[in-house]
Amino acid sequence: MTQAPIRIGIGGWSFPPWRGTFYPDKLAQKRELEFASRAVTAIEINATYHGTQKPASFANWAATAPDGFVFAVKASKYCTNRKVLAESGESIERFVGSGITELGEKLGPILWQFMATKKFDADDFAAFLSLLPDAHAGVTLRHAVQVRHDSFAVPAFVAMARRAGVAIVHADSADHPAIADVTGDFVYARLENAQEDVATGYDDAALDRWADAARAWANGGVPDGLPYVDATPPARTPRETFVFFINGAKVRAPHGAMALIDRL
């Protein structure tokens, strides 16, 4: 069985504490994406969560990154931070049509992140998933959902995501529940528990475990030792795998990502 690609990355590329710790001191700020996209193999764009970006910006980012690089895009908070998710159709259409497809072949999954206070309402969440489009402007769209309330850790939610072909984000977090069930045709993991007193955020033993997990996902398996909600195993098929060092001690994120890339 052929292993699917494994993409390892960080959240965004503009972060002042990275200057001198990740970026060379004298690197021009306008060249940060050029530098970062050659040090890691994926970046999660977070600016899209807070506000609408211009189509020209997406096109420029795609042109700056090298061939084979992939951007995940965090969806607008106006789509997910609402009482009734079934009413988010117009916001979803606006976000999907905002220019993200200008990334072309470098467009990876769209991340739909929900507030930690958002509880699982089966009917409302199913309605939300039904609003997520399969494609836009001829570009295939893939979707990942990050839920952060314990009420989602039930088989009904896992089955719902699996039927929709949507990936549940596996978050390694000290603050939010972790659901490792594989539900889409790709895997999306966010490592949010970095420690600032460790040069790579995660120590060597943890990085070895995440390397093993990434290989297992990419080969169509499920890693041992992670929290699963549904005992039903997914179909064994290679899955493109995304692992982002995204939170915790963010200053360590690039070094964690590069250390994991070295292991893979």
Side-chain angles (χ1 to χ4, degrees):
M1 187 178 292
T2 303
Q3 178 177 291
I6 300 173
R7 320 277 187 186
I8 310 297
I10 53 179
W13 57 88
S14 296
F15 184 57
W18 286 345
R19 300 198 65 81
T21 59
F22 171 46
Y23 296 125
D25 282 324
K26 296 182 179 180
L27 182 75
Q29 190 168 358
K30 65 181 181 180
R31 296 190 62 195
E32 288 178 346
L33 175 57
E34 178 187 345
F35 183 95
S37 62
R38 286 154 178 82
V40 298
T41 53
I43 285 177
E44 183 184 285
I45 301 174
N46 294 309
T48 44
Y49 177 76
H50 300 287
T52 303
Q53 308 300 307
K54 297 178 180 178
S57 296
F58 291 105
N60 181 59
W61 298 335
T64 299
D67 291 345
F69 191 84
V70 176
F71 293 94
V73 183
K74 193 173 183 180
S76 167
K77 61 185 177 182
Y78 297 108
C79 301
T80 55
N81 295 358
R82 54 175 64 231
K83 185 175 181 180
V84 181
L85 293 173
E87 297 175 354
S88 59
E90 185 177 333
S91 294
I92 290 172
E93 289 178 13
R94 188 180 304 116
F95 170 73
V96 168
S98 67
I100 62 172
T101 53
E102 293 293 323
L103 292 171
E105 294 180 352
K106 294 173 185 173
L107 174 61
I110 300 172
L111 169 66
W112 306 86
Q113 185 187 70
F114 296 85
M115 299 286 284
T117 53
K118 188 65 176 177
K119 298 179 181 179
F120 180 48
D121 178 322
D123 291 340
D124 193 38
F125 210 85
F128 175 84
L129 294 181
S130 73
L131 296 171
L132 302 182
D134 295 329
H136 181 79
V139 177
T140 298
L141 302 180
R142 296 178 290 170
H143 304 285
V145 292
Q146 184 177 14
V147 296
R148 299 188 287 177
H149 192 275
D150 288 333
S151 60
F152 282 89
V154 292
F157 170 59
V158 173
M160 178 185 297
R162 196 166 279 161
R163 286 193 300 271
V166 170
I168 297 173
V169 172
H170 174 59
D172 179 50
S173 169
D175 302 316
H176 307 300
I179 302 173
D181 298 72
V182 173
T183 55
D185 61 3
F186 66 97
V187 172
Y188 199 119
R190 297 176 103 236
L191 306 190
E192 303 177 355
N193 209 19
Q195 306 300 312
E196 193 156 354
D197 60 353
V198 178
T200 51
Y202 283 75
D203 64 23
D204 286 344
L207 289 170
D208 289 343
R209 289 195 298 273
W210 286 114
D212 289 342
R215 290 190 195 96
W217 283 320
N219 283 310
V222 290
D224 294 330
L226 295 181
Y228 298 99
V229 173
D230 189 341
T232 306
R236 187 171 181 87
T237 182
R239 289 176 171 85
E240 186 173 15
T241 296
F242 296 83
V243 181
F244 292 101
F245 289 74
I246 205 77
N247 211 323
K250 187 173 179 177
V251 69
R252 304 301 186 198
H255 299 285
M258 291 187 292
L260 188 56
I261 289 170
D262 286 344
R263 283 165 167 75
L264 294 166

